[in-house]
Amino acid sequence: MSAISVNGRTYEINAAPDTPLLWVLRDELGLTGTKFGCGVAQCGVCTVHVDGIAVRSCQIPVGTVGQRVITTIEGIGETSAGARIQKAWLDLEVVQCGYCQPGQIMSAAALLTANPDPDDGAIDAAMSGNLCRCGTYVRIRQGIKHAARS
Amino acid sequence: MKRKVVLCLAALAVIVGAAALGVTGWMVFQPGPYAFATGKPVPLSAYQGPAPTGVPVELAGADPAMRGAYVAAMADCQACHTAPGGKPFAGGRAFVLPFGTIYTPNLTPDPETGIGNWTDAQFLNAVHRGVAPDGSHYYPAFPYPSYTMLSDEDVLAIKAHLFSLLPVKQANRPNTFGFPYNQRWLMAIWSALFNPDERFRPVPEQSPEWNRGAYLVEAAGHCGECHTPRNLMQALDQRAKFGGATAEGWTAYNISADKVSGIGDWSAEELAAYLSTGHAHGRGVASGPMGEAVELSLSQLTKADIGAIVTYLKSVPAVKGDLPALAGPAPATPQLAGLDNPVGKRIFEGNCASCHAWTGAGAAREEAQLTGVRAVNDPGGANVALMVLHGSGAPTPHRPHMPGFGNAYSNDEIAAVTNYVTARFGARSSTLTAADIAALREAN
């Protein structure tokens, strides 16, 4: 039995320390907003924040998180950058099928927090690990710029 | 006139002969592996301190099977005597050398294809002197000039461990050496020159911990076989002890006390963590042959034995290398335009950044840190390229695994991403080409 902090709340968990964080979030805590994609940190759909840094939760054993603060798509709207990204996403209708979007929003929110006014190069770099099979990349870039201005 | 010519030729012959003798002598008469240490080595029987050989004190009361397994792990026989995906100790692993390919033999107790019929004397003769039961000589790919320092008891403990394994019927593969390297009898001469055939001699002036460490490093662990460069005659060049060399395409780095190229600025804690778990904070992950050494040997050793190895390693004098000083942390907002390597950048973005992070600081997992790691700060780039090709297994449990990308990307692309990583996160860019990557694929 150990404890992790997710979206401002402390949860007691039973999972073994080498269980991927994604499994714990979805199966044990019922936070199913974060999706499973490839399972090998190549698609970005499972992105969450650990102490504000965008990381792939499928590759992080829950035992290594310790006291660090986890934010998921369910809690990102409580942050300034997250709220602005989500509003921009709605304003510009960035989403098509939506499966990758929890990861896209988490990466975009982390970018905006670290770099309030990212140019195209910075956006492409920070978002490059998040794949979108629908090809919403152009609107994602617009959405981030829209949020930066808001 | 004629006499003058003859005299000149004779003088030339003498000079050339003397030079050849000098060069050979320089290679043959060199210091022993721990001659750098102050003190006068004594025979093991005359040593008053706690035994540097055998199992550590904690295991002294353990049953013989466990002690045998421990000594076998100390000597790390399994890494070389197991083919990838093959049965442990059944041999068949290929070593691609400049002279041809050599395959390790089967060490399981199968009477036909393994060593099931070997006597104790035959096994001792093989491990101490490099001589097979039929009288033929082994090539020094088998590190008997190191193992010759093992005590008789320890060699026989290894034999007992091997004989406790299930026999595996797997015929040995002949090597592919061409003339003159296929002349095994030449190895008798090599052995006479380069194998002292002498058991470990402790140095009473040094601490018991140092002596245990010397035994573990020199006799059992045979660290120098990869980390010490070889001379023209393929013997370890003890004058450049632990100065770094190449093993199966991987760079086995300088592990002397040199502060820049070696491990002189590693703390004892960092060394202990790296050896026992395959990772030390900010120092990267043991991969390739070193990953195997950690997984199969070092991670099995007791804390005290790891401490002894660290004590000994720290005493090895510095050998200056030509590696650059480690670069510091990479900038948070990298000047990507300054790195004119669009292919490398694209591959790093798509495949690497999600775990290694944009700054190379590692995303959430400290093992994924690229900055400050020696392989990334090596303009040679071989180890980075090999990591990209083959990935890195987890040397110990709960360690992360890096997938290999060798089947996903072309040689051009792997060269590009290696050059990108070394330029962006290291001291100097590597300049690998597709041909270099092809050669690395061959070597491994």
Side-chain angles (χ1 to χ4, degrees), chain A residues 62-104:
Chain A
V62 70
T64 66
V65 174
Q67 307 291 313
R68 291 184 288 177
V69 174
I70 300 162
T71 310
T72 68
I73 189 67
E74 287 89 348
I76 197 65
E78 303 298 316
T79 68
S80 158
R84 283 183 292 142
I85 289 287
Q86 285 181 329
K87 181 163 187 310
W89 252 236
L90 290 172
D91 289 350
L92 301 185
E93 296 186 359
V94 168
V95 175
Q96 187 165 322
C97 93
Y99 193 81
C100 72
Q101 296 296 332
Q104 303 284 4

Side-chain angles (χ1 to χ4, degrees), chain B residues 28-84:
Chain B
V28 172
F29 298 105
Q30 54 168 337
Y34 48 95
F36 61 85
T38 316
K40 199 172 174 332
V42 296
L44 205 47
S45 54
Y47 180 62
Q48 305 289 319
T53 61
V55 296
V57 187
E58 303 95 297
L59 292 175
D63 64 274
M66 187 179 265
R67 283 183 280 145
Y70 191 91
V71 176
M74 272 162 50
D76 198 10
C77 317
Q78 190 181 340
C80 293
H81 285 278
T82 307

Side-chain angles (χ1 to χ4, degrees), chain A residues 1-148:
Chain A
M1 192 74 111
S2 56
I4 55 171
S5 162
V6 184
N7 300 331
R9 198 178 138 191
T10 302
Y11 292 87
E12 294 288 328
I13 57 164
N14 294 309
D18 59 353
T19 310
L21 175 60
L22 177 62
W23 267 236
V24 177
L25 292 174
R26 288 183 57 87
D27 295 354
E28 205 170 326
L29 308 187
L31 295 171
T32 53
T34 308
K35 305 300 182 201
F36 173 85
C38 66
V40 291
Q42 296 294 293
C43 75
V45 69
C46 68
T47 305
V48 300
H49 292 185
V50 175
D51 276 353
I53 297 167
V55 298
R56 312 296 182 230
S57 61
C58 71
Q59 285 297 301
I60 298 175
V62 70
T64 66
V65 174
Q67 307 291 313
R68 291 184 288 177
V69 174
I70 300 162
T71 310
T72 68
I73 189 67
E74 287 89 348
I76 197 65
E78 303 298 316
T79 68
S80 158
R84 283 183 292 142
I85 289 287
Q86 285 181 329
K87 181 163 187 310
W89 252 236
L90 290 172
D91 289 350
L92 301 185
E93 296 186 359
V94 168
V95 175
Q96 187 165 322
C97 93
Y99 193 81
C100 72
Q101 296 296 332
Q104 303 284 4
I105 289 172
M106 296 307 286
S107 288
L111 167 64
L112 211 56
T113 305
N115 182 354
D117 188 22
D119 59 14
D120 284 356
I123 292 173
D124 289 354
M127 301 303 293
S128 61
N130 289 77
L131 304 184
C132 172
R133 303 266 335 234
C134 306
T136 62
Y137 299 113
V138 177
R139 292 202 297 277
I140 286 172
R141 196 196 266 184
Q142 288 168 347
I144 292 171
K145 289 185 170 173
H146 185 80

Side-chain angles (χ1 to χ4, degrees), chain B residues 13-410:
Chain B
V14 167
I15 290 167
V16 169
L21 234 107
V23 169
T24 312
W26 174 255
M27 286 191 278
V28 172
F29 298 105
Q30 54 168 337
Y34 48 95
F36 61 85
T38 316
K40 199 172 174 332
V42 296
L44 205 47
S45 54
Y47 180 62
Q48 305 289 319
T53 61
V55 296
V57 187
E58 303 95 297
L59 292 175
D63 64 274
M66 187 179 265
R67 283 183 280 145
Y70 191 91
V71 176
M74 272 162 50
D76 198 10
C77 317
Q78 190 181 340
C80 293
H81 285 278
T82 307
K87 296 241 171 62
F89 295 101
R93 176 165 178 170
F95 284 88
V96 184
L97 302 173
F99 333 104
T101 300
I102 194 165
Y103 299 89
T104 53
N106 184 345
L107 295 188
T108 70
D110 181 62
E112 275 175 53
T113 62
I115 61 167
N117 288 331
W118 289 31
T119 64
D120 284 0
Q122 287 173 331
F123 193 76
L124 282 164
N125 209 27
V127 175
H128 281 158
R129 284 170 282 279
V131 179
D134 67 3
S136 65
H137 286 260
Y138 295 119
Y139 289 94
F142 173 42
Y144 63 87
S146 294
Y147 287 161
T148 200
M149 286 179 269
L150 288 169
S151 71
D152 287 7
E153 294 74 34
D154 283 352
V155 174
L156 295 177
I158 292 171
K159 176 167 180 274
H161 175 69
L162 295 173
F163 273 63
S164 75
L165 304 171
L166 279 178
V168 177
K169 198 170 279 304
Q170 181 177 302
N172 294 332
R173 278 182 76 172
N175 66 50
T176 65
F177 290 2
F179 187 82
Y181 304 109
N182 58 4
Q183 301 297 300
R184 274 188 185 271
W185 61 271
L186 287 170
M187 289 302 112
I189 301 171
W190 189 93
S191 186
L193 293 176
F194 297 111
N195 179 21
D197 187 15
E198 192 178 68
R199 307 299 87 79
F200 179 73
R201 289 162 67 88
V203 183
E205 289 84 351
Q206 301 288 336
S207 69
E209 205 185 23
W210 183 94
N211 277 292
R212 173 67 175 167
Y215 185 74
L216 288 168
V217 167
E218 301 298 347
H222 59 284
C223 309
E225 298 282 344
C226 289
H227 287 282
T228 297
R230 288 173 191 274
N231 62 27
L232 270 180
M233 295 184 79
Q234 294 299 305
L236 298 183
D237 178 4
Q238 300 293 359
R239 293 185 185 88
K241 184 184 179 62
F242 290 171
T246 303
E248 296 177 89
W250 292 80
T251 306
Y253 285 108
N254 185 327
I255 53 168
S256 77
D258 187 69
K259 281 204 186 310
V260 176
S261 290
I263 54 167
D265 72 338
W266 287 50
S267 69
E269 291 73 27
E270 286 176 329
L271 282 171
Y274 191 87
L275 294 173
S276 56
T277 69
H279 169 72
H281 182 67
R283 297 294 191 180
V285 176
S287 303
M290 190 62 199
E292 289 172 12
V294 170
E295 180 188 349
L296 299 170
S297 173
L298 293 159
S299 67
Q300 318 283 317
L301 304 188
T302 62
K303 202 162 175 260
D305 271 355
I306 292 291
I309 290 174
V310 171
T311 299
Y312 178 75
L313 284 180
K314 285 248 154 212
S315 78
V316 177
V319 175
K320 217 172 144 34
D322 53 7
L323 291 169
L326 301 174
T333 27
Q335 298 302 310
L336 294 170
L339 285 162
D340 187 21
N341 183 346
V343 176
K345 175 172 174 282
R346 169 171 60 77
I347 293 170
F348 187 83
E349 284 173 355
N351 296 274
C352 317
S354 54
C355 289
H356 293 290
W358 269 102
T359 54
R365 299 291 317 240
E366 58 168 328
E367 291 90 343
Q369 180 175 338
L370 295 174
T371 49
V373 173
R374 175 38 82 196
V376 174
N377 284 273
D378 174 3
N383 287 13
V384 172
L386 284 162
M387 290 272 286
V388 175
L389 279 170
H390 303 295
S392 171
T396 46
H398 311 306
R399 290 293 177 192
H401 163 88
M402 171 171 158
F405 296 87
N407 294 330
Y409 288 107
S410 70

